[in-house]
């Protein structure tokens, strides 16, 4: 059933309560998600984005109960990823000649995925589309936020920014609007989404936010493609993005590790104690990477000013949970964060050196050669680990 956003603008998307993994199995969605599609019924009938492919038939059926499908004049495809374009093939079977407004890169991504030659109308930043009743759609390219094809669409008159993935979050909600959502869940999912999806593009985002603000658009509503519609102080999420894209960090240090027989775990706990003893103000998180959702762990890294990474030595290397996590951190492009390494070993002892090298490659500022311990740490070595924690806090 459609839900009114404002005047003649309606939400016609899908709430996916069951979703627990997104982007294949790369991103955990503990709270489900939504695929937001919007129907504008001015003199022209316009559809902005669709839903993920598995819900295509349901989407077209529901849409046909809200408007005669043949009455749709224009389709806006803000982004080609299938969670928003997935219902286009089913929809366009009914209206194959309807123009699809999108960026030049979206023509490539849509053709590449669906192998159809629809009536694409390529738009660039500043291009306008008259939808009647004195209202227009204005397009803003959002290249690499987060695909080359991404764009946003601004509707004059009602002052709605259809921002697609930007400012979204994976949060299933029946209430739809930000002021009605559980605020803790809303901001928790928003920062996780930023840390795990948008962080690599922070530099581009910083520039783009500046460009959008310079346009001096009146923005009453930000209608994203996932999660809530921001109608209560919509600029609050823009302000959050301004902070997050600027090498964000809180007064937090995270100790992330995996362990085989508990030695490296004991070091993690002692190091955490030392950090806290040295600086009681700093928030310390201790995270076993083999037992923690990786996307939640990445969110803690995003908030941290320093990370301390631990693994015992295995096969002259490190545990795969830690190796995979460092690789993931490297791809996400964190900047201006300090790092240190620790780990136990029995004989060859390569893990700490390996972690230090990997962290440097991943863009972290490694503070020293790390803390190594042979076999299980005895009381003296545990005291040394506390001192090492103090050193990290001072760094
Ligand atoms: Fe929500 Fe990039 O798709």
């Amino acid at each position: 059933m459609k839900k009114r956003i404002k005047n003649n603008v309606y939400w016609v998307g899908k709430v996916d309560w069951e979703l627990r993994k997104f982007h294949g199995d790369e991103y955990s969605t503990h709270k489900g998600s939504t695929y937001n599609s919007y129907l504008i019924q001015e003199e022209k009938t316009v559809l902005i984005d669709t839903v993920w492919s598995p819900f295509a038939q349901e989407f077209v059926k529901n849409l046909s109960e809200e408007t005669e499908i043949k009455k749709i004049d224009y389709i806006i495809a803000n982004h080609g990823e299938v969670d928003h374009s997935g219902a286009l093939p089913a929809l366009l079977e009914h209206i194959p000649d309807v123009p699809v407004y999108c960026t030049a890169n979206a023509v490539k991504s849509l053709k590449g995925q669906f192998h159809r030659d629809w009536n694409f109308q390529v738009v660039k930043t500043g291009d306008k589309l008259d939808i009647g009743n004195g209202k227009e759609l204005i397009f803003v390219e959002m290249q690499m936020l987060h695909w080359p094809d991404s764009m946003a669409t601004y509707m004059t008159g009602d002052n709605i920014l259809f921002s697609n993935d930007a400012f979204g979050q994976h949060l299933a909600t029946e209430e739809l609007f930000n002021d009605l959502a559980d605020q803790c869940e809303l901001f928790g999912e928003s920062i996780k989404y930023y840390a795990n999806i948008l962080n690599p593009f922070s530099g581009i985002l910083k520039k783009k936010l500046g460009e959008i603000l310079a346009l001096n658009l009146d923005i009453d509503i930000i209608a994203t493609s996932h999660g809530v519609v921001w109608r209560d102080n919509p600029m609050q999420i823009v302000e959050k993005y301004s902070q997050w894209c600027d090498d964000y960090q809180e007064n937090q240090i995270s100790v992330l590790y995996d362990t085989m027989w508990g030695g490296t775990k004991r070091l993690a706990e002692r190091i955490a104690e030392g950090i806290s003893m040295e600086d009681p103000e700093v928030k310390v998180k201790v995270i076993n990477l083999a037992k923690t959702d990786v996307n939640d762990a990445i969110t803690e890294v995003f908030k941290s000013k320093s990370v301390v990474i631990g693994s015992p030595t295995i096969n002259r290397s490190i545990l795969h949970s830690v190796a995979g996590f460092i690789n993931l951190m490297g791809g996400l492009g964190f900047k201006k964060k300090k790092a240190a390494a620790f780990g136990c070993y029995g004989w060859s002892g390569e893990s700490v050196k390996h972690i230090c090298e990997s962290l440097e490659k991943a863009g972290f500022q490694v503070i020293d050669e790390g803390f190594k311990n042979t076999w299980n740490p005895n009381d003296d070595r545990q005291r040394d680990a506390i001192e090492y924690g103090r050193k990290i806090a001072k760094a």
Side-chain angles (χ1 to χ4, degrees):
M1 195 176 66
K2 71 181 182 184
K3 296 177 185 176
R4 189 188 296 275
I5 301 292
K6 186 176 180 183
N7 298 330
N8 300 319
V9 181
Y10 301 90
W11 177 93
V12 287
K14 171 70 188 175
V15 181
D16 190 352
W17 292 97
E18 277 192 355
L19 189 77
R20 289 295 175 270
K21 291 285 184 181
F22 187 76
H23 282 159
D25 282 337
E26 275 295 288
Y27 187 105
S28 60
T29 47
H30 307 313
K31 305 282 179 188
S33 192
T34 71
Y35 317 108
N36 297 339
S37 168
Y38 299 96
L39 180 66
I40 304 173
Q41 295 179 301
E42 298 292 350
E43 282 173 46
K44 297 291 185 185
T45 299
V46 184
L47 184 75
I48 299 189
D49 294 322
T50 67
V51 299
W52 187 28
S53 321
F55 304 105
Q57 297 303 335
E58 177 185 339
F59 171 77
V60 175
K61 180 175 178 295
N62 289 345
L63 188 62
S64 69
E65 287 165 13
E66 308 301 345
T67 181
E68 198 183 322
I69 297 291
K70 293 203 176 341
K71 276 196 175 164
I72 295 174
D73 296 292
Y74 310 129
I75 292 172
I76 313 299
N78 276 328
H79 176 30
E81 199 163 10
V82 287
D83 49 330
H84 310 296
S85 65
L88 282 177
L91 179 63
L92 285 164
E93 264 180 36
H94 300 274
I95 43 174
D97 299 324
V98 165
V100 177
Y101 289 82
C102 63
T103 62
N105 281 325
V107 176
K108 289 185 207 165
S109 64
L110 290 168
K111 279 188 180 177
Q113 293 173 104
F114 299 116
H115 312 293
R116 312 277 169 88
D117 201 7
W118 294 315
N119 179 12
F120 294 112
Q121 299 294 316
V122 171
V123 293
K124 300 186 295 303
T125 295
D127 287 353
K128 294 176 179 174
L129 181 64
D130 190 342
I131 57 172
N133 297 330
K135 297 177 184 178
E136 288 180 322
L137 298 179
I138 303 175
F139 304 105
V140 182
E141 288 169 279
M142 302 277 277
Q143 197 168 8
M144 292 319 296
L145 293 171
H146 68 128
W147 271 20
D149 65 10
S150 300
M151 73 170 185
T153 298
Y154 177 75
M155 180 178 173
T156 65
D158 290 340
N159 302 340
I160 303 174
L161 180 68
F162 298 95
S163 62
N164 196 261
D165 281 331
F167 312 123
Q169 66 296 139
H170 287 301
L171 177 64
T173 168
E174 205 57 54
E175 290 80 23
L176 190 58
F177 295 104
N178 68 306
D179 48 301
L180 304 179
D182 176 318
Q183 298 300 295
C184 188
E185 283 184 350
L186 173 58
F187 284 96
E189 292 299 332
S190 295
I191 196 170
K192 176 179 173 180
Y193 184 95
Y194 188 94
N196 284 274
I197 296 177
L198 293 174
N199 193 67
F201 313 109
S202 285
I204 299 170
L205 181 64
K206 200 170 171 179
K207 203 165 153 239
K208 185 54 72 175
L209 283 179
E211 278 174 38
I212 292 175
L213 293 174
L215 292 174
N216 272 330
L217 301 172
D218 288 325
I219 297 176
D220 294 343
I221 289 177
I222 296 178
T224 72
S225 61
H226 294 294
V228 301
V229 170
W230 299 89
R231 70 173 176 187
D232 176 42
N233 183 16
M235 295 313 279
Q236 66 181 298
I237 190 63
V238 180
E239 282 156 25
K240 284 280 178 203
Y241 267 48
S242 300
Q243 295 167 12
W244 294 341
C245 72
D246 198 14
D247 301 327
Y248 183 73
Q249 51 182 243
E250 298 176 11
N251 189 19
Q252 176 172 326
I253 299 177
S254 296
V255 183
L256 306 113
Y257 70 97
D258 194 1
T259 193
M260 290 169 75
W261 297 111
T264 300
K265 174 187 170 182
R266 266 185 287 283
L267 292 184
E269 290 171 351
R270 295 294 88 79
I271 288 169
E273 267 180 64
I275 295 168
S276 252
M277 285 162 74
E278 183 63 33
D279 183 357
E281 299 289 311
V282 75
K283 196 186 295 170
V284 183
K285 299 273 175 87
V286 179
I287 296 167
N288 180 320
L289 289 170
K291 297 181 191 297
T292 307
D293 178 278
V294 290
N295 305 112
D296 292 340
I298 284 291
T299 309
E300 297 306 329
V301 170
F302 179 65
K303 293 187 211 166
S304 297
K305 59 183 180 182
S306 305
V307 295
V308 195
I309 307 288
S311 170
T313 296
I314 181 168
N315 301 331
R316 299 183 172 179
S317 183
I318 60 176
L319 291 170
H320 73 86
S321 54
V322 180
F325 192 75
I326 297 173
N327 187 55
L328 185 57
M329 288 197 299
L332 289 168
F334 295 111
K335 292 193 174 63
K336 297 191 181 169
K337 293 188 193 292
K338 293 197 166 74
F342 65 98
C344 290
Y345 67 100
W347 48 101
S348 60
E350 291 89 345
S351 71
V352 169
K353 185 166 182 275
H354 184 106
I355 293 170
C356 286
E357 288 170 359
S358 304
L359 284 170
E360 270 183 9
K361 258 191 236 162
F364 289 80
Q365 299 162 21
V366 177
I367 63 165
D368 65 8
E369 71 288 353
F371 185 93
K372 287 171 73 168
N373 181 72
T374 323
W375 300 109
N376 260 331
N378 60 18
D379 289 349
D380 280 347
R381 288 301 281 157
Q382 291 194 46
R383 276 191 285 275
D384 291 344
I386 290 173
E387 286 310 306
Y388 189 60
R390 284 182 177 275
K391 181 182 176 186
I392 291 164
K394 281 186 206 154

